[in-house]
Amino acid sequence: MTDTQTPAALVIEKRNWKFGRDMLPRRWWHGGDPGRTAFFNALSSTFPVGEKFFMSAVRHYRDDAPEPLREQIDDFIFQESTHSREHIFFNRQARDAGYDMAPSEDRAARTIAWAKRRPPIMQLAATCALEHFTAILANAVLSDPAHLAGADIEAQRMWRWHAVEEIEHKGVAYDTWLHATRDMPRWLRGSLRSLAMLSAAVRFHWVVFRNTRDLLAQDGMNNLATWRRLLAYLYDYPGAMRSLARGIFGYFRPGFHPWQHDDRALARRALASLTPPLITPLPR
């Protein structure tokens, strides 16, 4: 397919895994740290509506796509649908732990509603940008165990499984974009892609950090000390958001493709440490 750098032997596996069904929710599940818990809860609050948007944006171009891209789109949709289901459950656990998740979920929904008013090609461009974000964050989470150190085991497993699959399908939306824009002048294709990335970067940071602030306020922890620790974790060490900032700049390079960085071996190693979840009943 035109300009693709996706590995020819890429496998996007369909895994119908479920997490945390036998766990009672803990309010500060990330090592007892309110800031880290709030950040990951804020991120999770965006996934159900966001992933539904991604599926719709890519599905719009499915029937015109050649093989193997069409099959990869189907696999992408399956993976994203299971991610959405698991984050709906994860968000429900946060509510069970005492958080009001509605403001965070509503803020994400309003942002997606704005994006859905754009033309289909710009919805696809936004999906490419946001899938780039999730692939970078996935690589960070899997590369350094410090990102999830101290978190409840089942939460760690869910986030690591999600990260593995984000790496597996990280090029699908972008290859769909390359096919959908194959007849566009190169300058126009690049301009639309860059515009979508700029918009996505601003809106993503606004939603996630505003959601984090709201969740911290519910704990009475929206203060300078909490934010200092959280920002050091995100931008200093282990620095997932620092990696994201570098990745955003890399996206503007001419000839960019998500698979220029092949991290399939990282995903395989992470997957080898996971086993399909076993559901056991809660004690009565």
Side-chain angles (χ1 to χ4, degrees), residues 250-266:
Y251 192 83
F252 296 105
R253 294 194 315 268
F256 166 85
H257 191 280
W259 279 110
Q260 286 170 341
H261 177 54
D262 189 343
D263 45 2
R264 285 177 295 169
L266 174 66

Side-chain angles (χ1 to χ4, degrees), residues 89-252:
F89 181 80
F90 189 85
N91 297 341
R92 186 181 306 139
Q93 286 188 310
R95 285 194 291 273
D96 291 344
Y99 288 109
D100 180 4
M101 297 294 288
S104 295
E105 292 169 338
D106 290 347
R107 187 172 292 111
R110 289 195 299 272
T111 297
I112 293 300
W114 176 88
K116 290 174 71 173
R117 293 194 292 270
R118 307 307 106 188
I121 197 65
M122 292 308 294
Q123 295 184 41
L124 181 59
T127 297
C128 293
L130 292 165
E131 280 291 300
H132 184 52
F133 293 177
T134 57
I136 292 169
L137 295 174
N139 180 282
V141 164
L142 297 183
S143 296
D144 190 340
H147 290 285
L148 292 171
D152 291 355
I153 295 300
E154 198 67 0
Q156 286 195 42
R157 285 164 50 77
M158 190 277 288
W159 285 99
R160 286 172 62 80
W161 157 81
H162 189 163
V164 166
E165 296 197 346
E166 289 298 332
I167 287 174
E168 286 182 350
H169 70 230
K170 69 178 181 177
V172 175
Y174 200 83
D175 282 345
T176 304
W177 161 264
L178 291 176
H179 181 72
T181 61
R182 63 194 182 279
D183 295 327
M184 276 188 185
R186 188 173 294 274
W187 69 266
L188 179 58
R189 175 195 279 183
S191 297
L192 294 179
R193 182 172 70 89
S194 298
L195 179 63
M197 170 54 79
L198 290 170
S199 178
V202 171
R203 289 177 178 273
F204 173 82
H205 285 81
W206 162 252
V207 169
V208 170
F209 282 114
R210 178 63 187 272
N211 288 358
T212 301
R213 189 197 75 172
D214 288 356
L215 293 169
L216 284 173
Q218 293 181 38
D219 279 324
M221 299 295 291
N222 186 38
N223 54 55
L224 183 59
T226 303
W227 276 102
R228 187 186 302 117
R229 290 192 300 272
L230 177 59
L231 292 175
Y233 163 77
L234 293 174
Y235 289 98
D236 184 8
Y237 179 80
M241 294 297 283
R242 182 178 60 194
S243 297
L244 179 61
R246 288 198 300 266
I248 289 172
F249 284 109
Y251 192 83
F252 296 105

Side-chain angles (χ1 to χ4, degrees), residues 31-47:
D33 187 292
R36 297 183 188 191
T37 298
F39 176 80
F40 276 91
N41 285 353
L43 193 59
S44 182
S45 72
T46 70
F47 280 131

Side-chain angles (χ1 to χ4, degrees), residues 14-60:
K14 294 178 178 178
R15 305 176 186 88
N16 188 22
W17 290 8
K18 299 180 181 180
F19 298 87
R21 300 314 196 265
D22 59 344
M23 303 294 291
L24 295 172
R26 188 163 69 105
R27 190 171 178 93
W28 292 350
W29 59 265
H30 200 316
D33 187 292
R36 297 183 188 191
T37 298
F39 176 80
F40 276 91
N41 285 353
L43 193 59
S44 182
S45 72
T46 70
F47 280 131
V49 67
E51 284 162 335
K52 184 177 180 180
F53 172 77
F54 300 162
M55 289 185 280
S56 176
V58 173
R59 187 186 290 114
H60 182 84

